[in-house]
Amino acid sequence: MTGILRVPRLAALVTIAALVAAASLVSFAESYRGLYEWASGHGLPGVWAVAWPLQVDVFIAVGELALFVALADRWAPRSRAALL
């Protein structure tokens, strides 16, 4: 893009990326905390209570990132359907 809107567009994209990253980190932290409290409250001992939330959230994060890459790389719809 050229012209007068190039710099504001870039600023908007950087702001969007920062807000999405911050929201993702906060969501991940809140999810981890909730799952940890649930696990420890239901008797899962020590390191297992610490690891269990990661087992759930890491798969969610990987799935979201795979869908983003599929969209960004313009994978064929048939390839993207395999991710769901």
Side-chain angles (χ1 to χ4, degrees):
M1 170 173 266
T2 59
I4 194 166
L5 294 178
R6 191 180 60 137
V7 173
R9 179 183 181 274
L10 179 60
L13 288 173
V14 169
T15 303
I16 290 168
L19 290 172
V20 168
S24 296
L25 288 173
V26 169
S27 296
F28 187 80
E30 284 297 314
S31 175
Y32 180 89
R33 184 181 64 85
L35 290 169
Y36 172 78
E37 288 178 0
W38 184 90
S40 62
H42 283 80
L44 209 57
V47 70
W48 296 111
V50 172
W52 186 75
L54 293 175
Q55 293 173 353
V56 173
D57 286 342
V58 165
F59 282 107
I60 293 169
V62 168
E64 291 291 329
L65 291 171
L67 289 172
F68 174 76
V69 170
L71 178 65
D73 288 352
R74 295 183 177 153
W75 290 0
R78 183 175 175 171
S79 297
R80 289 194 311 258
L83 291 174
L84 302 175

